[in-house]
Amino acid sequence: MNAFLYANAWLIITVVKVALLLFIVLTVNAYLTWFERKVVAHIQSRWGPHRVGPHGLLQPMADGLKFLFKEDPTPAGVDRFVYFLAPLLALALALTSIAIIPFGPDPLPWKILGQTIYLGILPPNVNIGILALFAITALGVYGVALAGWSSNSKYPLLGGLRSSAQMISYELALTLSVVGVLLIAGSFNLTEIINDQTSKYGILGWNIFPQFLGFICFFIAAVAETNRVPFDLPEAESELVAGFHTEYASFKFAMFFIAEYTSMITVSCLCAILFFGGWLSPFPAAWTWTYYLPTVLLLPAGLWVFWDGLHYETIFGKVILPGIGAVMCILAIALALFPGVNNYIQAPFWLLSKIFVFLFVYVWMRGTLPRLRYDQLMAFGWKMLLPVSIANVVITSFAILRWGAIK
Amino acid sequence: MTAPLIIFFVLAALAVGGALSLIFQKHPIHSALSLIVVMVALAGLYLLLGAEFVAAVQIIVYGGAIMVLFVFVIMLLNAGIEEHTNFSKLAGFPGLLLAFALTGFIAATIARSTDTVQAAAQPGNMASTKDLSTMIFKDFVYPFELTSFLILVAVLGAIVLAQREKA
């Protein structure tokens, strides 16, 4: 048994990593819906979900159960194979793209089954990181387009057509806007792109400063690629009912939903990695006191959750929230007692914080921006975004030729 | 059977199956989907040979851009089930003959070659992106630019053909 474990160590560890990452991503997805509803509600002066559990925290579970137990009718006249394939394709591709993201530079301090464990599914020396991501995004169109086509209904068909036109148009700008970063880093490897942004002055080394134009283009194009507000024309409810997923119900609808939120997470990861230094701290390396930031943030957060939980009358509120708060406090105290651990959690802490900020920006945009008209969308993509990202490539290449690489 | 060999056979079967399905499917969308399977399986084969960049570009360009346009146009025209005509004998007979001749030629070439057939890349034999770009933009820059010029001419031609007569 032991020999078998060691002989197939790499395979077993990869499978475990994939399962773990899937669990984390799906949980984060569920709570992202809660987060989005809560933030949009507060932007619009409402409370958002607050009945199911304290602060509506159990709402995602209720929603998930509802999706599972809803009736799942198949409309008449659909192309059955493609109709069932489309949500599967959308979800599988969205989840695959997460596998390429590296979540930390250092392997775990101990070896498991004789293998060094890196944070992330792929080993850090895979050279096509960003290209593989673009390849998966390029295929992502099919989920939406095929769903629209196979439903045998006019609204989904129009939604699918819009979405394929939009994704083809914005994919060009998306890819071109990253070229500047690739030129500076001289690599397709995501780990190398992050390491290239290391600098003595912390935040000043990040790509956002030399590549501000690139970042703006990238973020706009990425939002359009993920079909989010203000580019959510494929599912514009005032024109197309629900666009490409009108004829989908129950868990097949949920699969599109999860795919959309997963792509949001991927894009946030990419923004953080390409332009905001990935897991690098924004503070100069000399400021070692910033290593205690996670501890300092965790303790008050834990205390607040503990105190907040005592105000609820339900068992969940009275027992579980204070329990979570207590665990957070204990973790913070443990971190304070063993400061050596701080070295290992810095990188994931900063990466996750940046990802969270971008997810918030996504939700913020949804809460505040109106949807573009279709002709405006196309004109903006082709006449504005594409020329600007090409100009960015030209300027960056010229600067690198003239003054050499920036670092 | 080593792991790369198994992966090779799976991908090869996918590619051949996809190609056959492309021909025999009745509906244009199903044919387009089969072609995507072929493209992705080919990308997998490139990856197996250590050509990471070519594999990624294969998916981005063929699987993503070109096939999306195919699917888009089929959807836009809402093409129905294909109508089959009876095969013309003239096309059928020489076509079959040519197919057999080509298969025989390839089989003979493979049979005569003395190198051992390898399913996967050998260590140290990886095609780096840098080498590839040096080759395209330095050694073969003129053919490369000429090709892009050819494509530009084709694009312009399409625009001219599609443009309506100005009254």
Side-chain angles (χ1 to χ4, degrees):
Chain A
M1 186 63 197
N2 226 346
F4 172 79
L5 279 181
Y6 272 90
N8 297 297
W10 184 80
L11 199 65
I12 293 166
I13 286 170
T14 310
V15 170
V16 171
K17 268 185 187 172
V18 169
L20 203 66
L21 188 70
L22 267 183
F23 174 75
I24 294 172
V25 168
L26 291 177
T27 315
V28 170
N29 262 322
Y31 276 90
L32 200 55
T33 63
W34 172 84
F35 177 71
E36 177 167 30
R37 288 174 69 178
K38 216 58 182 168
V39 172
V40 171
H42 281 270
I43 287 174
Q44 298 166 348
S45 297
R46 296 183 284 116
W47 280 112
H50 68 123
R51 290 298 174 99
V52 192
H55 299 294
L57 272 173
L58 291 181
Q59 187 72 47
M61 283 182 215
D63 286 345
L65 275 180
K66 192 186 83 173
F67 276 134
L68 275 177
F69 289 114
K70 278 262 177 176
E71 191 191 352
D72 190 5
T74 309
V78 299
D79 188 311
R80 282 190 77 88
F81 177 70
V82 183
Y83 180 78
F84 283 94
L85 178 76
L88 212 68
L89 207 62
L91 182 62
L93 288 171
L95 289 173
T96 314
S97 55
I98 292 270
I100 294 160
I101 309 282
F103 288 98
D106 305 314
L108 291 185
W110 57 88
K111 287 187 171 186
I112 298 175
L113 295 177
Q115 301 269 324
T116 326
I117 312 282
Y118 283 95
L119 302 176
I121 302 222
L122 293 180
N125 58 354
V126 172
N127 283 323
I128 50 163
I130 185 91
L131 275 179
L133 260 174
F134 283 141
I136 295 168
T137 331
L139 291 181
V141 192
Y142 291 118
V144 177
L146 292 178
W149 176 79
S150 66
S151 295
N152 187 33
S153 164
K154 54 180 176 285
Y155 291 123
L157 183 65
L158 284 172
L161 279 176
R162 274 186 180 188
S163 130
S164 7
Q166 174 182 339
M167 282 169 136
I168 296 170
S169 312
Y170 280 75
E171 215 171 77
L172 288 171
L174 184 80
T175 318
L176 278 172
S177 56
V178 176
V179 173
V181 171
L182 299 180
L183 283 173
I184 290 176
S187 171
F188 288 120
N189 183 335
L190 290 172
T191 309
E192 273 175 39
I193 290 175
I194 297 177
N195 288 338
D196 185 69
Q197 300 176 56
T198 320
S199 124
K200 215 166 45 173
Y201 307 107
I203 193 169
L204 290 179
W206 294 359
N207 277 335
I208 177 71
F209 296 110
Q211 284 297 314
F212 185 70
L213 216 55
F215 169 68
I216 298 290
C217 290
F218 176 79
F219 194 66
I220 295 175
V223 172
E225 276 288 304
T226 44
N227 287 330
R228 294 281 302 180
V229 179
F231 302 104
D232 62 337
L233 285 122
E235 41 189 304
E237 65 272 7
S238 50
E239 305 158 23
L240 295 179
V241 187
F244 63 91
H245 56 59
T246 306
E247 303 290 348
Y248 283 88
S250 184
F251 213 71
K252 290 210 285 293
F253 167 71
M255 282 159 91
F256 281 118
F257 209 64
I258 298 170
E260 182 182 325
Y261 280 82
T262 312
S263 342
M264 269 168 73
I265 297 177
T266 319
V267 166
S268 306
C269 292
L270 267 185
C271 281
I273 287 173
L274 294 175
F275 297 97
F276 287 85
W279 50 65
L280 302 174
S281 156
F283 300 108
W287 296 6
T288 41
W289 56 264
T290 57
Y291 276 37
Y292 297 100
L293 266 179
T295 322
V296 174
L297 288 175
L298 200 57
L299 189 67
L303 285 175
W304 186 80
V305 172
F306 189 86
W307 179 80
D308 182 69
L310 296 179
H311 288 251
Y312 285 93
E313 286 163 5
T314 51
I315 295 187
F316 183 83
K318 264 247 181 321
V319 180
I320 298 193
L321 269 193
I324 294 172
V327 169
M328 283 163 80
C329 290
I330 291 169
L331 274 179
I333 292 164
L335 268 180
L337 289 178
F338 302 100
V341 184
N342 274 323
N343 290 331
Y344 291 104
I345 60 168
Q346 286 302 309
F349 170 73
W350 285 114
L351 185 62
L352 294 182
S353 313
K354 288 167 190 172
I355 293 172
F356 177 76
V357 169
F358 283 110
L359 287 176
F360 177 77
V361 173
Y362 253 112
V363 176
W364 188 11
M365 288 196 333
R366 154 132 196 228
T368 43
L369 289 179
R371 183 179 298 134
L372 266 77
R373 224 172 48 216
Y374 190 65
D375 57 324
Q376 289 171 335
L377 173 101
M378 280 297 161
F380 182 72
W382 287 103
K383 294 180 186 165
M384 182 77 196
L385 217 52
L386 190 63
V388 170
S389 37
I390 291 176
N392 180 51
V393 173
V394 174
I395 295 170
T396 312
S397 344
F398 180 77
I400 289 177
L401 264 183
R402 181 73 183 72
W403 294 293
I406 289 162
K407 275 161 282 287
Chain B
M1 286 267 260
T2 53
L5 203 62
I6 296 171
I7 298 173
F8 169 79
F9 277 120
V10 170
L11 288 172
L14 264 178
V16 173
L20 286 177
S21 149
L22 162 70
I23 298 169
F24 290 116
Q25 286 291 348
K26 290 269 188 299
H27 203 288
I29 284 259
H30 293 167
S31 293
L33 281 179
S34 315
L35 192 51
I36 297 164
V37 172
V38 178
M39 301 291 185
V40 174
L42 281 183
L45 287 178
Y46 293 152
L47 205 60
L48 208 58
L49 289 170
E52 300 169 317
F53 182 78
V54 182
V57 168
Q58 163 88 8
I59 293 187
I60 294 174
V61 175
Y62 288 97
I66 293 180
M67 286 319 293
V68 168
L69 278 179
F70 270 56
V71 171
F72 182 76
V73 170
I74 295 172
M75 276 168 66
L76 197 67
L77 301 177
N78 212 356
I81 290 172
E82 263 180 79
E83 284 173 30
H84 276 276
T85 52
N86 291 323
F87 288 111
S88 79
K89 289 215 174 78
L90 193 68
F93 185 65
L96 265 179
L97 216 62
L98 273 176
F100 277 118
L102 189 65
T103 316
F105 177 68
I106 293 173
T109 317
I110 292 174
R112 274 176 53 184
S113 90
T114 44
D115 295 337
T116 44
V117 180
Q118 282 153 355
Q122 302 304 302
N125 201 9
M126 307 284 269
S128 86
T129 313
K130 210 168 191 168
D131 296 341
L132 202 70
S133 52
T134 320
M135 213 159 81
I136 292 178
F137 292 108
K138 213 173 194 172
D139 304 345
F140 298 108
V141 66
Y142 294 116
F144 179 75
E145 292 299 329
L146 275 177
T147 316
S148 54
F149 199 70
L150 201 66
I151 294 171
L152 187 70
V153 170
V155 170
L156 285 179
I159 291 174
V160 169
L161 283 180
Q163 208 170 34
R164 292 212 185 118
E165 288 283 326
K166 287 213 176 77

